Each structure stands twice: as structure tokens, then as C-alpha cells.
Amino acid sequence: MLRENFLRLLDIFGILGTYLSRPEVALQVGLFYLVVIITGMITLALWYRLVRPFSTALQNSASPLWQRILINMGSTSIFPVVGLLLIKLTEIALRMQGRLSGLLTQLSWVFVTILVAGVLMALLYTNMDSAERRHAHFRFLVPFLFVISVLQINWQLIDLGEVAEVVVVILFQSPISVGALFIATIGLWLYVELINTLHTFAVNTYIRYTQRDDGEGQALLLLLRYALILAGIAFALGRLNLNSTTIAAISGGLSVGIGFGLRDVLGNFIAGILLLFERTLHNGDVIEVDGEIARVQSVSIRSTRVRTINHVDLVIPNQTFLTSQFKRYTGESRQVRFPITIHANYENDMSHVIDLLTTAAQAHPDVLTEPAVDVQVQDAFGDNVISYDLYMWADQPMEIPRIKSDVTKTIWASFSAENINLTFPDVELHFNDSLAQKWPNARRSHGKITARPLGGQS
Amino acid sequence: MRWKRRCLTIGYALLAMLILVACQAPKVGNRHGRLVIWHDWPEPESGVLQEILHSYEVLYPEVRLVTNYVPSDQIAARFAEDVATGLGPDLLIGLETHELYDFVEAEQLLELTAYALASDHFQPQILDALRHDKAFYGVPFAASTSVMFYNTERAAEPVATLDEMVVLARRGDRFGIPIGFGEAYWGVDAFNGTAFRDADVDPNAGFGAWLTWALQAQAQPSILFDGDKAALRGLFMRGEIDYYVGQSSELNTIRQELSDDNFSIASLPAGTNPFAGALLDVETLTVNRYTSKSWLAVDLVSYLTNMSNQRKIAHGDFGRIPVNVNVKLDPRISDIEATLLRQQQRAITLPFAVGEQYDDILAFGDTLYLQVMQGVLEPGDAAERLRLEFSSPND
């Protein structure tokens, strides 16, 4: 049966060859491809000269919506509009010469499809940044239009419905047709990319127009996205018409292995849902994990992507946030308090030191005035020094190391100017006579251990 | 810019391939290649057709014939749609003579004059129906015409005349007669009427006479006149009527309900004309003008209309009448085949040019039938209106 089906498939595509061997048909198809090539060249030229100079300036989110829509539509419409114009001119030329042009008219619908799809995508692009647009454009729009165009062109020449019904393989006693294979592979892939694109648009639109960067809405959108993808997968598998008994038998045997293998994945998946619903983490949060301060870039269903101060991206499985402790600097409020510890000599006037520390902190532009800077004396009766803890508040957690560095420099400069001694710990050792005789030249100075015989001169 | 260069390279390569394919010179005289064939023969009749086509492939192994079934009520429209773009089959089996006119005017059919005139296969009467300005754009393949189906369990003998029909109707025999200009044209011929001409106001001749008889016969409850042919056929197949005037091509459909022992066919009842003939529906073989395999297509046409294959069509016994004059059938073998051939010889073929107005004539005629049967119009007036509406195609 498979052999007959393959012969039938060859027959159908043989019909394509038969049609293309007719001069009238070959002429029209050839002219169509020529129009496509010329249109591509014209589109590139127009895009570089007309669209690109305005595109970069107007694509930022501060531009009015209508301008962004206009630019996006302009970008996506040039190719199909130019193509339609050229096709019409070609049709007129053929008719004037008494040649057939009906096939060319039907093929022009390819450009109409590209135009409609491009306009719709242009609307989606308005709420995407350049990276997201590029992703949507090359992962969904271009492949989608390529597949649709090929199908439309071939539909004019052969009966694709008949091709779709041809059984090409028998899997688990279930006949699988060309159409089912196409839906389960290319169709499913395009569908998933479409859902991903729509999800990106929906999330960006939600954040933009609700001004809420919370996790609840995003969690719902994320769940909806995965639900739609699962539905698509179920539909594609349904089209394959696999024998349910066979599938049940195989999946029963594999389920244990799959369950163990996917345990962590499922754990991360559930953790991701909990994170989003509990609003434990949001995009933009500043956290500290394993000693690294980083900003949350995105929370997805399996992992969370963060970017450290050094611009290194870390991908952290979601389970980590549920099973381990981590610091979150941007909880109820983005204000964070952080200390600098300074040790000053006993000789220095305590209130003077406190004034200098307070002034140095308040002088920094990123240190908040409210809550106010606070200096606490932690150890006034230490061996050698008095420990001062300078507490400051800032609302940019990722900038804390820099703020601390700046304030430290200011303190150093002001202490130097006011002759405040930042003494080193001073230790005095007293030796017995025999040891003092052994080290007669030992002296006491700043930061060094000196020796003095017990009861003797140094 | 590298990808732009790649796109251009691919585009140029595709264009070059297309040009190469298009520039392939057809190999005349060498039977090889693929032909796309459309036909409107449903199962099981298409079995005979496939058998004939397969035998051609066996004879010439380098030929591949790809067939596609298209229902008869769609084949002309689909062909018109495809041929306008250069697509469509190389060979079309199923266009009737009256459907050729528009395609010929649009120059979408290959001229087959040389083959049609060179062969002595065909009845001159049938060839005349296909002649257009001394040229032929179609070749006859098979024909069908109206016959009288009768239930052999209820009727021992078929009806010979219209008067006898009325007598049998009074006795209780039930008749189903499709009323429509095309379906009932045999009635016009039964009263010596001629095609679309001479239907004069004299109610005793031609169209007027037939309508007069029909109007009187309508009074008999056992004679059913109905424009719905399928409904009448269904009544016959269920045994609710004993006689049914239908197309010979309905033979297989009727066989689905009645076995060959339960029914038979007979010539149409005579009126003043002892040999009433219906319109002959001639199925033609036509070749797409844009085919690149014209020589092969014409060769296949010749093969399909040879005596051997025409005999197969006759012996297929599904109501299609062979058009090859050299096909002689022994009535002792098949009464049905003999009746069909006999009825075909009496049948009327329309001139080619009638095809231009064929649909309009049928529609106008159907309206006249309705008006007459409902008593709104007199038969003589109806005949006069028909004569005035459509002048002779040769005038």
C-alpha cells in the first residue's frame, strides 16, 4: 500500500512537472519568480534609504504609538506592495501580447498574504523591543511566510489536498499521512513560535498599560501560553491518529523513566508557578544569590535569568529559590540600608568623627536623606580603637558597592584633612630579661610589635 | 549582504531551471511522457475506462497516464477555470457537444480536424454535430440517449406507442416522464418535430402536438410528469412506477436497486413518427490547447476510439453507446446493447452552433413546459413563442 501511495505522490508531483513543461505555465511561473527577485532588491534599497533612518529613532518606547505603528507597517509592507504592483504590470504586459496571465493573477495572492501577515505583525512589534522583534521576525514571521508562500504557489498547480491525504508511513499500526506529518512538525513548530510571539506581546502590553510589574498577571499569561502550546501538541498528536492502545502501552512503560528523568524539570516548573503567583520574584528585582548581587531579567517556567553587576547572566533553576535562602533587596521597598565600618583612634574626638562620617555620607547624591544617615558606635572600649558603623540608605541596590567606595574615599579625604588617625591595632609585648637580651633592638612603633624587658627600659 | 547574494543566486538558479524546463522540445513520434486526463465516469463505469487506459500504458511502457475523476456537473466549469491559466488536463473525457462552443470560441481546445476527417470511425451525423466552420475541436467518444425503462415483473411487453401508453395508464400501469425541454424532446420527434425550427402554430405537429398530448395525458393519474428526473427514477427503482423514460447512462444507477431480471429497456414510444428519437448526448474527447504533449494526446484519442476499445465500452453495459460505426453488436448477446444502438441511430444531434444558446433554449423551453402543464399557456402559443425566440442557428 505504501508503494502505491508513493507512486500516487509521484504522480501528483509529476503533474506539476507536466504543467511546468507547458510554455504558457512556465512563462507565468518564471515571471512570478522574477518579480519576487526584483521586488526583493527594490525592497532592500527602499528599506535602507527610507525606513531604516527613521526606524532606529522612532522605535524607542517614548515615541508616540502611531509613529511606531507607522514605521513597523512601512517596514513590513514594502515588499508585498511593490510585489503586487510589479505583478499587475506584468499581467498587463502579458495580456497586451495576447498571452495567458490567469496563473500570475492567482499567484499574486501570495503577496496579499504577506501583506496581511506583515501588517498584523507590525501591530505586535509596537510593544516589543528590538531583540524581541528580531526574534519574532526570524523565528516566526519569515518561516511562516515562506511555508505559506510555497503552499500557495503549489496549490495553484496541484491538488495539495490530495497530497495531504497520501499515507507515507505506518507508525504503531497507524497510517500517517503527509498532511498529518506536516501538521505535527512544521505546523506545530510555527504554532509554538506564534504563541511565544503573542505571549511576548501580551506581557509587554500588560506591563505597559497596567503599569504593574507584578507576577500575577504575568503568571496567568505564562500559564495560558503553556496551556495553548499543550493544546497544540495534543491537536498535532491527534492528527497523527496514533493507535491509542499502542500509545497507552508505550507511555505506561516509559512513564516511570520519564517521571524520574523529568522530576527536576517538573519541580522547577511548579516552583516557577509558585514564584510568580506568590510574587516572590519579579522582573527587575535585585537579589543576592551565592554572594552575587544580580538583577532578575526574566522569570520563566523552569528557571530564572539574572544579570550580575559584572553583566554576567546567570540561569538559576527555580527550585533554588524555594529550597535555599537568598537575599532580596527589592521587597516591599527598594530602599536598602548598608553599613561601612570605620575604626578610629582613641585620641580622636568621637563627636567630631561622627560629624565627619555623617557629612561624608550625606554628600553622596545616591545616599537617601530619608531615612537619615546614622552613625553608631559599636565598640567604644576596644583594645586599640573605637569602631564606628556608618549606616546609609539607598534605593539602587545594584549600586551599593559603588556608593560604598565613593563614601569611603570621601571619609579618607576628610579624615586626612582633619588629622583623624585611623590607627592600626597597637600591641605591646613584655618579654622576660632573657628574651629581651635576645632581641635587644626590638622597638615599638606604629603597627609593629616592639619588645621591652619586664621592668626594664625599652 | 552575503545573504542577499545567496538569495539572488538561488533566484537566478530557479529561473534558469524553469527556462530549461520550458524550452524542452516536445518529442514527436516518440510515445513517452505523462498525460493528465480528466473524466466524468463514476464507479463502476470508470473501471472500463481505466482498463482501456491501462492497456495503452502496457502497449507503451514509457507513457504514464494520470487520471482524475471530476463529477459531470463540475467538469466543464473546472476545466474552464484551469485552462484560462494554462493548467488543466491534457485530455478531457466528458465534455458534451453543446459544452464545446464556449471553449472553441475562447481558443482553448486543440484542433483535431486532421484526425477527425482522416478516420472513418464515426457516424457522419455525430461528426456533423461537432463541425465548427469546417474544423473539429472534439472527437466523439461515447453517447447516451433517452430510452424507456420498464419493470419486467409488472409489464410483460414495453410500450410501443403513445396511444398505447394512455390505454395502459387507464388500466393502472404507472408511467414516469421527466418534463423538460431536453429530457422530453423525444416527444417532439414523436410528432415529427425538428430541432428548434418549424415548431409552427399548427397544434397537430411538432412541439405543439407533443404539448397537446402531454396536457391530455396529464389527466391520467397513472402518468406522472415531473421536472425532477431523480425523483421519478427513485420511484421506478422502488417499484412505485412501472415505466420510466430516462437516459441510458442511468442504467448503472438503476441496477443498484433492480437486478437485470427485474427491468429492461425499450425504444421510446412512437407517435405519428414511428421511430421517435431523443436528443443524443455525445461525450467528446478534447485536447487542451496548451498541452505540451499534443501528439501523444491525439494518439491516445485515436486509441480510445478504435473498434476494440469502443466494443469494450459497449460491453461494459452501463448505457454508454459506442460511436464507432464499425462496432456491431449481436442483439442475441445483449438486448440492452442492441436497443441502445437502435435508439442511438434514431437520436437527434444538435448542430454545433446551438451550443452557444443551448442553456438559454433549455431554460426557455422548460418555462414553456411549466406554463402549458399548469394551463397558463396553450400548446400552440408555446410552440409559436419557441419559434419566435430562437431562430435557426443556420439562419
Side-chain angles (χ1 to χ4, degrees):
Chain A
M1 184 186 88
L2 285 181
R3 186 173 177 275
E4 284 169 15
N5 289 343
F6 270 114
L7 287 175
R8 182 64 193 155
L9 213 53
L10 283 175
D11 273 344
I12 294 171
F13 285 103
I15 293 174
L16 186 62
T18 301
Y19 286 157
L20 289 176
S21 70
R22 298 178 185 176
E24 290 289 337
V25 175
L27 176 67
Q28 292 177 87
V29 174
L31 285 172
F32 173 76
Y33 279 114
L34 195 61
V35 163
V36 169
I37 293 169
I38 295 172
T39 302
M41 292 164 66
I42 294 174
T43 302
L44 275 173
L46 286 176
W47 194 84
Y48 276 111
R49 287 179 203 281
L50 292 180
V51 177
R52 199 178 174 199
F54 298 100
S55 175
T56 311
L58 292 174
Q59 283 298 0
N60 67 75
S61 57
S63 308
L65 179 64
W66 67 269
Q67 281 185 349
R68 295 204 308 276
I69 292 176
L70 206 63
I71 285 294
N72 287 332
M73 282 191 179
S75 300
T76 56
S77 303
I78 295 177
F79 180 81
V81 168
V82 171
L84 282 169
L85 282 171
L86 288 179
I87 286 266
K88 287 303 164 193
L89 289 173
T90 311
E91 284 176 35
I92 293 169
L94 284 176
R95 279 200 286 267
M96 283 170 65
Q97 293 183 358
R99 308 298 293 260
L100 293 180
S101 64
L103 185 58
L104 209 54
T105 306
Q106 289 174 0
L107 289 174
S108 68
W109 282 97
V110 172
F111 286 109
V112 175
T113 305
I114 295 173
L115 179 65
V116 171
V119 165
L120 290 174
M121 286 300 291
L123 293 173
L124 297 184
Y125 288 165
T126 51
N127 265 347
M128 292 185 186
D129 61 29
S130 60
E132 289 166 343
R133 271 199 307 277
R134 208 173 307 119
H135 183 97
H137 193 79
F138 291 105
R139 288 291 295 264
F140 170 68
L141 185 65
V142 170
F144 171 74
L145 289 177
F146 178 77
V147 169
I148 289 293
S149 301
V150 168
L151 289 177
Q152 273 189 301
I153 291 167
N154 282 286
W155 201 290
Q156 304 302 332
L157 300 172
I158 56 177
D159 187 356
L160 285 181
E162 201 178 341
V163 172
E165 288 172 5
V166 174
V167 172
V168 288
V169 67
I170 296 179
L171 199 62
F172 305 124
Q173 299 174 341
S174 302
I176 296 177
S177 63
V178 171
L181 263 181
F182 177 83
I183 288 173
T185 53
I186 296 172
L188 184 60
W189 171 57
L190 287 175
Y191 173 76
V192 169
E193 290 297 338
L194 173 65
I195 295 299
N196 290 340
T197 302
L198 290 174
H199 173 257
T200 304
F201 172 76
V203 168
N204 291 347
T205 306
Y206 173 79
I207 293 172
R208 177 191 285 267
Y209 290 105
T210 62
Q211 298 296 322
R212 290 173 63 185
D213 193 7
D214 59 15
E216 204 170 295
Q218 293 181 50
L220 283 172
L221 288 171
L222 194 63
L223 282 177
L224 183 63
R225 169 185 166 194
Y226 281 102
L228 287 172
I229 290 175
L230 280 173
I233 293 171
F235 175 77
L237 289 177
R239 290 289 302 177
L240 288 176
N241 219 17
L242 296 175
N243 186 297
S244 57
T245 309
T246 312
I247 294 297
I250 293 171
S251 60
L254 290 176
S255 60
V256 175
I258 290 172
F260 273 111
L262 292 179
R263 184 183 59 183
D264 287 338
V265 175
L266 282 172
N268 286 324
F269 179 85
I270 294 170
I273 294 173
L274 291 172
L275 279 177
L276 289 170
F277 270 109
E278 287 182 350
R279 297 193 239 174
T280 310
L281 277 182
H282 310 135
N283 288 355
D285 274 351
V286 177
I287 61 173
E288 184 179 325
V289 178
D290 293 338
E292 293 247 33
I293 297 179
R295 185 187 302 279
V296 175
Q297 299 293 114
S298 64
V299 181
S300 63
I301 207 65
R302 189 195 68 82
S303 59
T304 297
R305 189 166 61 87
V306 302
R307 183 167 293 169
T308 67
I309 292 176
N310 296 326
H311 239 254
V312 173
D313 282 352
L314 302 177
V315 178
I316 305 170
N318 287 335
Q319 277 198 88
T320 308
F321 298 103
L322 290 189
T323 57
S324 309
Q325 181 177 287
F326 68 98
K327 291 182 187 175
R328 183 179 165 205
Y329 288 99
T330 51
E332 294 298 319
S333 157
R334 295 186 73 84
Q335 294 176 347
V336 177
R337 191 178 83 155
F338 56 98
I340 295 178
T341 300
I342 301 100
H343 304 285
N345 200 311
Y346 277 109
E347 301 163 358
N348 303 308
D349 179 42
M350 183 183 288
S351 57
H352 186 47
V353 170
I354 291 172
D355 284 341
L356 287 176
L357 291 175
T358 306
T359 305
Q362 288 173 344
H364 195 286
D366 291 332
V367 172
L368 299 176
T369 55
E370 191 62 41
V373 170
D374 185 27
V375 180
Q376 296 177 7
V377 179
Q378 291 301 328
D379 188 7
F381 304 103
D383 286 345
N384 300 294
V385 296
I386 300 174
S387 296
Y388 299 88
D389 282 341
L390 170 61
Y391 290 100
M392 296 169 285
W393 289 82
D395 58 6
Q396 299 176 60
M398 294 286 282
E399 301 300 319
I400 288 175
R402 180 184 57 81
I403 298 170
K404 283 173 79 170
S405 168
D406 292 344
V407 171
T408 300
K409 291 175 195 171
T410 307
I411 292 172
W412 187 276
S414 64
F415 274 23
S416 298
E418 298 291 325
N419 289 320
I420 303 292
N421 285 330
L422 295 172
T423 50
F424 292 95
D426 216 355
V427 176
E428 191 171 289
L429 294 178
H430 298 270
F431 297 100
N432 58 31
D433 289 342
S434 61
L435 285 174
Q437 285 164 9
K438 204 170 186 181
W439 296 305
N441 296 322
R443 288 286 183 270
R444 175 178 155 180
S445 63
H446 286 294
K448 291 185 182 178
I449 298 174
T450 59
R452 182 188 293 175
L454 284 170
Q457 299 284 325
S458 64
Chain B
M1 295 298 274
R2 196 183 307 166
W3 64 267
K4 188 172 89 170
R5 223 176 292 137
R6 278 188 198 153
C7 288
L8 281 173
T9 310
I10 291 169
Y12 292 143
L14 280 171
L15 197 58
M17 273 165 53
L18 274 169
I19 292 170
L20 279 171
V21 166
C23 290
Q24 281 180 10
K27 296 182 184 176
V28 178
N30 190 4
R31 290 182 182 88
H32 91 297
R34 188 186 308 268
L35 278 184
V36 177
I37 301 169
W38 287 7
H39 67 88
D40 65 352
W41 289 31
E43 293 283 351
E45 301 162 40
S46 61
V48 173
L49 183 61
Q50 295 291 358
E51 187 189 318
I52 296 172
L53 292 173
H54 181 65
S55 66
Y56 188 82
E57 286 178 317
V58 169
L59 270 179
Y60 307 109
E62 290 191 12
V63 172
R64 179 90 180 113
L65 304 177
V66 180
T67 57
N68 190 30
Y69 165 70
V70 182
S72 58
D73 56 346
Q74 297 172 22
I75 197 166
R78 280 186 56 179
F79 181 64
E81 190 183 325
D82 280 14
V83 77
T85 59
L87 302 175
D90 297 296
L91 176 68
L92 187 61
I93 303 173
L95 283 184
E96 295 188 359
T97 48
H98 63 84
E99 291 175 318
L100 294 186
Y101 186 88
D102 291 336
F103 293 112
V104 171
E105 287 297 298
E107 297 180 1
Q108 291 168 339
L109 297 179
L110 190 73
E111 191 180 328
L112 299 172
T113 308
Y115 170 70
L117 292 179
S119 67
D120 55 358
H121 294 337
F122 309 112
Q123 295 181 19
Q125 175 199 15
I126 294 178
L127 269 187
D128 283 343
L130 290 167
R131 192 192 311 271
H132 177 64
D133 290 341
K134 300 179 185 176
F136 293 88
Y137 295 89
V139 169
F141 180 52
S144 65
T145 188
S146 295
V147 291
M148 171 74 83
F149 292 90
Y150 66 99
N151 191 317
T152 53
E153 286 186 343
R154 299 169 192 268
E157 294 288 333
V159 174
T161 66
L162 291 172
D163 291 336
E164 191 180 322
M165 186 189 292
V166 174
V167 169
L168 290 174
R170 288 196 187 116
R171 199 181 67 185
D173 287 6
R174 293 158 297 175
F175 294 81
I177 301 174
I179 204 77
F181 194 76
E183 290 87 359
Y185 193 77
W186 62 273
V188 177
D189 192 63
F191 289 95
N192 289 303
T194 52
F196 313 120
R197 284 183 289 172
D198 305 339
D200 51 37
V201 295
D202 182 355
N204 292 321
F207 190 48
W210 162 244
L211 285 175
T212 304
W213 180 89
L215 202 56
Q216 291 168 356
Q218 193 184 215
Q220 301 297 325
S222 299
I223 300 179
L224 299 174
F225 291 95
D226 199 322
D228 188 348
K229 193 168 64 172
L232 290 175
R233 185 178 65 226
L235 290 174
F236 179 74
M237 286 161 68
R238 291 192 296 273
E240 294 176 34
I241 56 176
D242 310 312
Y243 297 85
Y244 163 64
V245 177
Q247 280 290 104
S248 60
S249 53
E250 294 175 274
L251 195 60
N252 258 346
T253 306
I254 292 173
R255 277 202 182 103
Q256 291 173 10
E257 293 292 330
L258 298 172
S259 69
D260 283 354
D261 295 332
N262 296 337
F263 80 99
S264 187
I265 65 173
S267 300
L268 295 165
T272 51
N273 181 354
F275 302 109
L279 292 178
L280 187 70
D281 292 332
V282 178
E283 262 192 278
T284 61
L285 299 170
T286 49
V287 178
N288 189 332
R289 179 195 155 197
Y290 300 110
T291 179
S292 58
K293 304 267 191 320
S294 55
W295 187 88
L296 185 61
V298 174
D299 189 66
L300 182 59
V301 163
S302 166
Y303 183 76
L304 288 169
T305 53
N306 67 23
M307 190 169 65
S308 167
N309 289 320
Q310 288 284 299
R311 194 190 299 276
K312 282 181 190 170
I313 290 170
H315 287 158
D317 207 19
F318 37 72
R320 292 190 196 258
I321 308 165
V323 295
N324 191 311
V325 294
N326 300 314
V327 174
K328 305 279 186 254
L329 301 175
D330 188 342
R332 291 171 297 180
I333 296 175
S334 171
D335 188 44
I336 286 179
E337 290 174 19
T339 304
L340 287 176
L341 272 179
R342 196 167 52 241
Q343 197 62 47
Q344 182 233 333
Q345 285 158 5
R346 300 172 185 175
I348 301 154
T349 53
L350 300 177
F352 186 85
V354 171
E356 186 184 11
Q357 297 177 301
Y358 185 77
D359 291 334
D360 296 332
I361 293 170
L362 287 190
F364 190 76
D366 289 348
T367 307
L368 292 176
Y369 266 100
L370 197 63
Q371 291 173 335
V372 167
M373 301 307 276
Q374 288 179 348
V376 174
L377 193 64
E378 290 297 321
D381 293 337
E384 179 63 13
R385 283 192 188 184
L386 184 69
R387 191 178 67 79
L388 291 173
E389 183 70 17
F390 296 103
S391 57
S392 162
N394 293 331
D395 289 345

